[in-house]
């Protein structure tokens, strides 16, 4: 009997161990399975480490994507590039554009049940300014915020600037009382790293210790409830297009946010899968140094523009995940002038090259070879220039090295291939950084372009409260920039998002790209 | 009456035919690789640098035996042109570290006890450092290019040659006839040229032959990591880098340079072993 009893005990221990092991394997392999319990779940594949939940770092798209489900901003942009309400129901720009008055919604609750007040907005903005990291770089002209009453806030600026509206679309509002309870000695950074204090459609539930998964659950008291949101969203770290493609096909993720153009082709006509592309908020550009060296010659710059095979790039390098350019700013921005799309014309390129007076010209272009698409574009341009008799040397350069070169026109490369994009679709952001004399002085200009008329148009637009006048000025500035041929606008990128059969609605988000988690919807069937 | 050159060639051919089939394949492969590397640019059917983007990613066909790459360039043409760069660069690297190694080993052998001790400890340090990491750092510091890769690999590869040659030279120096020559007052230079280097030559030729094969792979690795050849140079490792994102969709862009590197490195390695066996440095195995 003893023997039998011990055998049974041993067997039961083995069975228990096997049961636990199987359970652990199931947990590891399929987190959605054990979480299901009748709840709807969507899993989003995201590249790179899920570093932090702190909205201070929402300038990094990985953090921004996570925050888009957990938090809200005062205002945001719609897909047409118009500023629309979110936590603020109304706002008024002062006539001298030095302050903005916001009226807050009265029905907003944070995830702990406390109501949104003006103090939360003031605390968030002051904390962002105080810490001076991440999104604080967008609050350049921010002076102070004042709570007028519980639901009215005034934001004052140090100088007139309409860019503040765009910047506020990147500032997620914190529950000030909750953060202050956990403020520690670092202004709540350690706590907000792995906790949240938001009012978004989802509340944070848990992250795996190695932060490869972040799980969030639908917030029942969300101020903007809509049918079709999943009960649970899991953001799962998954690096690389091939891995995300396989996982999407296998059903272990429902949304893939990093799929290479060639892998996208395999999903395009496959039943159950949807490929979404939004308006591009960026592209690849070759910026010229227009102050020093041979590229100071406008005929040469135009010759270089005509030499590039734009259509070949779109068809065979972007493979449908990009579009032809028609100006210096990407399609997501408002106030763009109408113009012809870029087109290769070798005869015209040779004619302009002859007019420039250069012969047997050797040029150097910096580029970052770690981006496969950029690498291919650099080689294509090199070959195209060879066809018109220009020898282009490609110089591998990391992004920090490139930033160091921007310090002065003397150190600026004669040509630099870069991926450039806007954090939010206000035309003033890219224009003021790339094409003004002030940017040269700040060591930030990519072109060393100095044109008093363009300076005046951009500065005038930034400080003008009238949206129509502002738009007109931005448009004229872009026409000057286009005529002066400051860059070869190779292509606009339209990163695709691919979703599986469980997903009903998805769109590329122009502010929190690739996706705003609160916009994810389940398929209706 | 046949000329002396013809007689010599006939002798070489007879020697070749006396070899086993395996040896003939190895030697034949090496000869073909060298010939293609020397005349590759003349044999290439297309311009290896010009993008023809409309024909990007064409699979192998009669027009493009090895297909085309992302830029629409003929992969075979790039392999042929790149062969010259890869093979000649590897030979240059081996020559560079051989030169440094010979100088160090000779100085150590003839320079007296203290010089020997210092130089051999330096060799020990060199051997202890991971060569690839050292070469990677040097090439990155010099700026990415084929020239930087050659210098970096040349400067990081010499300790093995120095150690091998020092051992061979020490054995020769211990021979009674060398002692006798010293007693007779034969100058050091004459000793080196007539007795010491010739005795070490066979060991080194075997080693350097095998090194060419290894160096082709290492050079390709540096290019693959971005510190070697730069676009549009069709060096074999750089071709692998360019093709690395398309293994699933255009396998030929990756397979062709990968197979070429493998076959070439393998052939040079086996040639080294063949020479080693013929010189009796190792017992011939069951192979």
């Amino acid at each position: 009997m003893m023997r039998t009893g011990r055998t049974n005990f041993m067997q039961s221990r083995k069975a228990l161990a096997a049961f636990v092991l199987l359970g652990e394997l199931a947990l590891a392999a399929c987190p959605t399975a054990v979480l299901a319990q009748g709840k709807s779940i969507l899993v989003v594949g995201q590249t790179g480490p899920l570093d932090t939940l702190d909205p201070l770092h929402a300038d990094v798209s990985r953090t921004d994507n996570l925050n888009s489900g957990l938090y809200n901003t005062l205002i945001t942009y719609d897909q047409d590039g118009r500023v629309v309400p979110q936590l603020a129901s109304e706002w008024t720009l002062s006539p001298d554009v030095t302050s903005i008055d916001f009226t807050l919604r009265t029905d907003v609750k944070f995830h702990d049940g406390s109501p949104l007040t003006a103090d939360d907005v003031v605390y968030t903005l002051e904390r962002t300014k105080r810490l001076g990291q991440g999104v604080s770089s967008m609050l350049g002209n921010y002076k102070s915020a004042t709570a007028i009453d519980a639901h009215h806030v005034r934001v004052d600026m140090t100088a007139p600037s309409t860019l503040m509206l765009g910047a506020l679309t990147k500032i997620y509002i914190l529950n000030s009382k909750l953060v202050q309870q956990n403020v520690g000695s670092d202004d709540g950074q350690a706590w907000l790293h792995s906790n949240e204090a938001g009012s978004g459609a989802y509340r944070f539930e848990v992250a795996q210790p190695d932060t490869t998964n972040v799980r969030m659950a639908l917030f029942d008291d969300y101020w903007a409830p809509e049918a079709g949101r999943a009960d649970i969203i899991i953001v799962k770290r998954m690096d690389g297009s091939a891995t995300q493609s396989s996982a999407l096909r296998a059903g272990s993720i429902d949304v893939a946010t990093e799929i290479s153009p060639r892998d996208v082709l395999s999903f395009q006509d496959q039943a159950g899968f949807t490929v979404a592309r939004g308006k591009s908020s960026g592209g690849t550009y070759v910026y010229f140094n227009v102050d020093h060296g041979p590229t100071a010659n406008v005929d040469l710059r135009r010759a270089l523009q005509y030499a590039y095979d734009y259509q070949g790039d779109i068809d065979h390098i972007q493979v449908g995940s990009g579009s032809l350019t028609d100006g210096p700013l990407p399609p997501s921005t408002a106030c763009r002038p109408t113009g012809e799309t870029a087109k290769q014309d070798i005869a015209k390129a040779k004619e302009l090259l002859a007019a420039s007076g250069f012969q047997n010209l050797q040029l150097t272009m910096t580029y970052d070879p770690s981006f496969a698409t950029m690498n291919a574009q650099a080689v294509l341009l090199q070959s195209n220039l060879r066809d018109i008799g220009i020898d282009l040397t490609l110089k591998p350069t990391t992004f920090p090295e490139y930033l160091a070169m921007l310090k002065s026109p003397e150190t600026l490369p004669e040509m630099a291939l870069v991926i450039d994009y806007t954090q939010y679709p206000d035309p003033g952001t890219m224009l003021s950084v790339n094409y003004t004399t002030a940017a040269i002085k700040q060591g930030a200009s990519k072109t060393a372009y100095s044109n008093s008329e363009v300076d005046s148009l951009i500065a005038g637009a930034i400080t003008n409260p009238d949206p129509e006048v502002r738009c007109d000025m931005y448009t004229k500035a872009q026409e000057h920039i286009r005529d002066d041929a400051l860059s070869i606008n190779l292509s606009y990128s339209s990163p695709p998002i691919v979703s599986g059969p469980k997903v009903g609605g998805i769109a590329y988000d122009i502010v929190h790209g690739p996706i705003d988690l609160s916009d994810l919807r389940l398929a209706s069937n | 009456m046949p000329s002396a050159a013809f007689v010599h060639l006939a002798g070489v051919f007879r020697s070749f035919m006396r070899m086993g089939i395996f040896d003939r394949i190895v030697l034949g492969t090496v000869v073909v690789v060298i010939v293609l590397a020397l005349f590759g640019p003349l044999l290439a059917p297309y311009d290896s640098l010009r993008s023809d983007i409309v024909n990007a990613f064409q699979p192998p066909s009669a027009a493009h035996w090895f297909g085309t790459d992302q830029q629409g360039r003929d992969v075979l043409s790039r392999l042929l042109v790149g062969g010259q760069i890869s093979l000649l660069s590897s030979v240059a690297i081996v020559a560079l570290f051989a030169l440094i190694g010979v100088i160090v080993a000779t100085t150590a052998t003839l320079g007296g006890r203290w010089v020997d001790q210092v130089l051999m400890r330096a060799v020990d340090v060199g051997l202890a450092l991971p060569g690839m990491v050292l070469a990677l750092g040097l090439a990155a510091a010099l700026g990415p290019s084929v020239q930087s890769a050659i210098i970096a690999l040349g400067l990081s590869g010499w300790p093995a040659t120095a150690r091998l040659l020092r051992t061979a030279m020490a054995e020769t120096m211990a021979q009674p006839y060398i002692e006798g020559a010293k007693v007779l007052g034969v100058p050091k230079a004459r000793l080196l040229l007539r007795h010491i280097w010739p005795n070490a030559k066979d060991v080194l030729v075997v080693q350097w032959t095998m090194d060419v094969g290894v160096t082709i792979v290492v050079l390709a690795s540096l290019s693959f990591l971005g510190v070697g050849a730069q676009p549009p140079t069709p060096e074999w490792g750089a071709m692998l880098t360019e093709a690395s994102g398309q293994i699933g969709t255009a396998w030929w862009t990756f397979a062709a340079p990968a197979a070429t590197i493998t076959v070439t490195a393998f052939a040079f390695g086996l040639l080294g072993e063949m020479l080693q066996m013929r010189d009796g440095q190792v017992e011939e195995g069951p192979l």
Side-chain angles (χ1 to χ4, degrees):
Chain A
M1 285 296 287
M2 266 304 275
R3 186 181 169 82
T4 309
R6 202 171 70 173
T7 306
N8 285 343
F9 174 69
M10 292 291 281
Q11 281 171 345
S12 64
R13 263 204 330 189
K14 280 180 186 168
L16 182 65
F19 181 75
V20 169
L21 184 66
L22 279 171
E24 283 179 356
L25 283 172
L27 258 171
C30 188
T32 59
V34 289
L35 290 167
Q37 299 166 350
K39 290 185 173 178
S40 54
I41 299 167
L42 290 178
V43 183
V44 178
Q46 186 169 298
T47 296
L50 310 174
D51 310 295
T52 178
L53 295 177
D54 191 341
L56 186 66
H57 300 287
D59 55 324
V60 177
S61 67
R62 296 191 297 267
T63 306
D64 197 8
N65 283 168
L66 289 171
N67 288 162
S68 67
L70 303 169
Y71 291 90
N72 295 123
T73 54
L74 284 175
I75 46 181
T76 189
Y77 283 96
D78 66 12
Q79 291 306 304
D80 295 321
R82 287 183 301 248
V83 181
V84 292
Q86 201 165 61
L87 294 181
S89 55
E90 291 173 29
W91 61 94
T92 313
L93 204 57
S94 69
D96 63 354
V97 203
T98 56
S99 68
I100 314 169
D101 286 336
F102 289 98
T103 302
L104 304 182
R105 294 180 66 97
T106 54
D107 57 349
V108 177
K109 281 183 181 172
F110 287 108
H111 296 151
D112 67 350
S114 57
L116 167 77
T117 67
D119 289 338
D120 297 309
V121 179
V122 173
Y123 176 81
T124 303
L125 291 172
E126 288 296 317
R127 175 183 184 265
T128 306
K129 184 191 173 189
R130 204 164 46 236
L131 290 172
Q133 303 170 37
V135 289
S136 73
S137 64
M138 296 174 210
L139 294 178
N141 287 329
Y142 173 80
K143 184 180 176 188
S144 62
T146 313
I148 312 281
D149 61 34
H151 292 102
H152 290 88
V153 190
R154 173 168 296 163
V155 175
D156 288 304
M157 291 168 273
T158 54
S161 175
T162 53
L163 297 182
M164 183 57 72
L165 279 171
L168 291 173
T169 65
K170 299 292 282 190
I171 309 290
Y172 291 105
I173 303 302
L174 299 166
N175 177 344
S176 60
K177 290 185 192 70
L178 187 58
V179 178
Q180 280 168 328
Q181 282 166 19
N182 300 282
V183 74
S185 57
D186 60 357
D187 235 335
Q189 287 185 85
W191 187 78
L192 282 168
H193 175 86
S194 47
N195 294 278
E196 54 101 353
S199 58
Y202 288 86
R203 56 187 169 72
F204 173 64
E205 279 209 323
V206 67
Q208 278 191 357
D210 57 356
T211 61
T212 51
N213 283 330
V214 168
R215 195 173 84 219
M216 47 187 84
L218 192 62
F219 178 42
D220 295 332
D221 288 335
Y222 187 49
W223 58 273
E226 278 184 45
R229 286 196 178 102
D231 294 319
I232 288 168
I233 287 180
I234 296 170
V235 179
K236 189 181 181 71
R237 178 179 178 175
M238 192 167 280
D239 293 348
S241 173
T243 318
Q244 288 201 11
S245 298
S246 308
L248 189 61
R249 280 203 184 84
S252 53
I253 61 171
D254 302 300
V255 180
T257 55
E258 184 178 302
I259 298 270
S260 74
R262 294 209 161 263
D263 286 338
V264 166
L265 295 178
S266 65
F267 287 103
Q268 254 168 355
D269 300 319
Q270 207 170 326
F273 294 95
T274 308
V275 178
R277 289 191 178 92
K279 278 186 181 174
S280 170
S281 56
T284 33
Y285 301 82
V286 175
Y287 287 115
F288 297 120
N289 181 342
V290 300
D291 187 76
H292 269 66
T295 47
N297 183 308
V298 70
D299 283 332
L300 173 65
R301 297 200 299 267
R302 288 192 184 127
L304 297 174
Q305 284 182 329
Y306 278 115
Y308 190 62
D309 184 358
Y310 301 92
Q311 193 62 54
D313 178 346
I314 300 300
D315 292 344
H316 300 285
I317 296 176
Q318 310 287 338
V319 203
S321 293
S323 56
L324 289 170
T325 59
D326 58 1
L329 298 188
S332 70
T333 51
C335 312
R336 301 170 73 243
T338 50
E340 282 183 14
T341 51
K343 195 176 173 188
Q344 185 184 38
D345 188 337
I346 294 293
K348 214 162 184 175
K350 285 181 176 170
E351 188 184 311
L352 284 162
L353 181 61
S356 74
F358 287 107
Q359 284 180 333
N360 302 321
L361 185 62
Q362 290 197 324
L363 293 170
T364 301
M365 182 173 78
T366 60
Y367 78 116
D368 187 344
S370 57
F371 293 93
T373 303
M374 200 193 269
N375 205 23
Q377 288 177 311
V379 173
L380 178 60
L381 178 63
Q382 190 180 45
S383 176
N384 292 156
L385 295 191
R386 199 166 154 247
D387 289 344
I388 62 166
I390 294 175
D391 181 12
L392 180 69
T393 301
L394 302 179
K395 185 179 176 191
T397 308
T398 61
F399 191 61
E401 285 170 343
Y402 174 63
L403 288 182
M405 291 174 174
L406 302 183
K407 277 180 186 161
S408 77
E410 288 79 18
T411 57
L412 194 66
E414 53 194 15
M415 292 168 73
L417 175 56
V418 295
I419 294 171
D420 213 356
Y421 64 96
T422 56
Q423 282 275 2
Y424 48 89
D426 188 312
T429 52
M430 259 178 106
L431 292 177
S432 58
V433 169
N434 290 348
Y435 307 111
T436 59
T437 310
I440 302 174
K441 290 174 184 158
Q442 290 160 5
S445 175
K446 299 184 179 89
T447 56
Y449 179 62
S450 181
N451 179 327
S452 56
E453 202 174 340
V454 172
D455 286 347
S456 164
L457 284 167
I458 294 173
I462 287 173
T463 55
N464 198 302
D466 184 332
E468 281 187 24
V469 177
R470 200 159 65 222
C471 209
D472 188 45
M473 291 172 125
Y474 278 140
T475 306
K476 281 183 179 146
Q478 287 171 77
E479 284 166 355
H480 280 289
I481 289 163
R482 194 180 55 197
D483 292 345
D484 286 340
L486 307 182
S487 57
I488 312 176
N489 310 321
L490 303 185
S491 64
Y492 298 133
S493 54
S494 309
I497 308 163
V498 186
S499 55
K502 281 167 68 183
V503 181
I506 194 162
Y508 188 89
D509 192 274
I510 59 173
V511 186
H512 309 295
I515 51 169
D516 182 332
L517 294 178
S518 64
D519 288 342
L520 265 182
R521 296 289 183 273
L522 292 161
S524 52
N525 50 353
Chain B
M1 195 171 164
S3 69
F6 179 80
V7 171
H8 182 69
L9 270 178
V12 169
F13 182 73
R14 274 197 300 277
S15 301
F16 181 75
M17 295 311 289
R18 275 200 298 272
M19 288 177 176
I21 182 71
F22 180 77
D23 288 359
R24 270 191 268 171
I25 290 171
V26 169
L27 192 60
T29 306
V30 169
V31 169
V32 168
V33 167
I34 291 171
V35 169
L36 289 179
L38 289 176
F39 300 103
L42 299 174
L43 299 170
Y46 297 92
D47 184 338
S48 66
L49 301 180
R50 191 174 187 280
S51 299
D52 178 15
I53 201 98
V54 177
N55 283 314
F57 294 127
Q58 295 292 317
S61 64
H64 300 283
W65 290 1
F66 291 175
T68 63
D69 67 5
Q70 188 181 23
Q71 298 284 333
R73 298 169 301 197
D74 182 55
V75 173
L76 173 62
S77 300
R78 288 180 65 74
L79 281 177
L80 288 168
V81 175
Q84 198 169 65
I85 299 162
S86 295
L87 200 62
L88 293 186
S89 299
S90 299
V91 171
I93 291 162
V94 172
L96 180 60
F97 69 61
L99 179 69
I100 300 171
V102 167
I103 291 170
V104 170
T106 307
T107 310
T109 307
L110 303 178
R113 193 167 148 234
W114 280 107
V115 175
D116 186 23
Q117 284 294 321
V118 169
L119 288 176
M120 285 303 105
R121 292 303 74 77
V123 167
D124 290 339
V125 171
L127 288 171
L129 291 170
M132 182 68 186
V133 177
L134 185 64
L136 192 63
L138 275 171
L142 291 167
S145 69
V146 177
Q147 290 85 343
S148 299
I150 291 172
I151 294 169
L153 289 172
L155 292 179
S156 58
W158 62 268
T161 291
R163 165 67 71 200
L164 189 68
L165 183 58
R166 171 71 187 89
T167 307
M169 288 171 83
E171 281 174 11
T172 310
M173 290 292 282
Q175 297 295 320
Y177 70 90
I178 296 289
E179 287 297 325
K182 279 185 187 172
V183 170
L184 291 171
V186 176
K188 280 183 180 175
R190 188 178 164 83
L191 267 180
L192 261 179
L193 291 171
R194 295 293 299 271
H195 301 291
I196 301 174
W197 279 349
N199 274 322
K201 182 194 72 184
D202 292 342
V203 181
L204 289 176
V205 168
V206 168
Q207 182 63 36
W208 291 339
T209 306
M210 289 197 273
D211 282 346
V212 170
V214 174
T215 306
I216 285 170
V217 176
V218 177
L219 182 66
S221 306
L222 286 188
S223 294
F224 187 77
L225 294 170
V227 294
Q230 296 301 306
T233 313
E235 195 271 335
W236 295 342
M239 287 177 71
L240 283 181
T241 312
E242 288 178 354
S244 58
Q246 295 116 30
I247 300 171
T249 48
W251 56 268
W252 55 90
T253 59
F254 195 86
T260 309
I261 292 169
T262 307
V263 168
T264 308
F266 201 50
F268 273 95
L270 289 175
L271 181 67
E273 277 195 27
M274 260 173 61
L275 294 172
Q276 209 168 19
M277 286 174 186
R278 288 166 72 86
D279 293 340
Q281 289 174 36
V282 293
E283 291 294 319
E284 192 161 359
L287 188 69

